[in-house]
Amino acid sequence: MAEKQIGVVENYFAKIGVAAIRIDEGSVSVGDRIKIKGATSDFSQVVESMQVEHKTVETAASGDLVGIKVIDKVRAKDTIYLIEEEG
């Protein structure tokens, strides 16, 4: 499986477990598997829901600031990778 860098964490909201992620390159969709890696973060998960400007979206593209519910704590400047299935 290949990993492609697509964005970076801008902020993390601990009470609701949501990361604000800036998409810098490419896009991410509900159902995609992402990896979050930083100084203390290193995990992957499937994107189950996303919001842009408090509206639920299926896909976020380059330039979007998207809120994604995460399964573990993340920090600002953590890197987001899209895990691409090979084949």
Side-chain angles (χ1 to χ4, degrees):
M1 290 188 283
E3 296 175 0
K4 183 176 112 180
Q5 183 175 338
I6 59 167
V8 66
V9 174
E10 291 276 312
N11 204 344
Y12 175 65
F13 303 96
K15 286 188 177 182
I16 57 174
V18 170
I21 297 170
R22 185 182 71 239
I23 306 298
D24 294 326
E25 187 176 319
S27 65
V28 62
S29 300
V30 172
D32 286 348
R33 180 167 284 280
I34 59 170
K35 180 175 182 178
I36 301 175
K37 187 156 177 58
T40 59
S41 310
D42 190 359
F43 64 93
S44 63
Q45 73 171 66
V46 172
V47 176
E48 295 185 358
S49 67
M50 297 188 295
Q51 289 191 345
V52 175
E53 301 286 330
H54 304 287
K55 292 180 177 53
T56 301
V57 296
E58 291 293 314
T59 301
S62 182
D64 287 342
L65 183 61
V66 61
I68 296 178
K69 183 104 169 139
V70 290
I71 60 172
D72 204 352
K73 184 176 182 181
V74 298
R75 288 169 180 74
K77 297 190 173 63
D78 284 358
T79 306
I80 310 300
Y81 299 91
L82 179 65
I83 299 174
E84 298 172 322
E85 303 291 330
E86 295 183 4

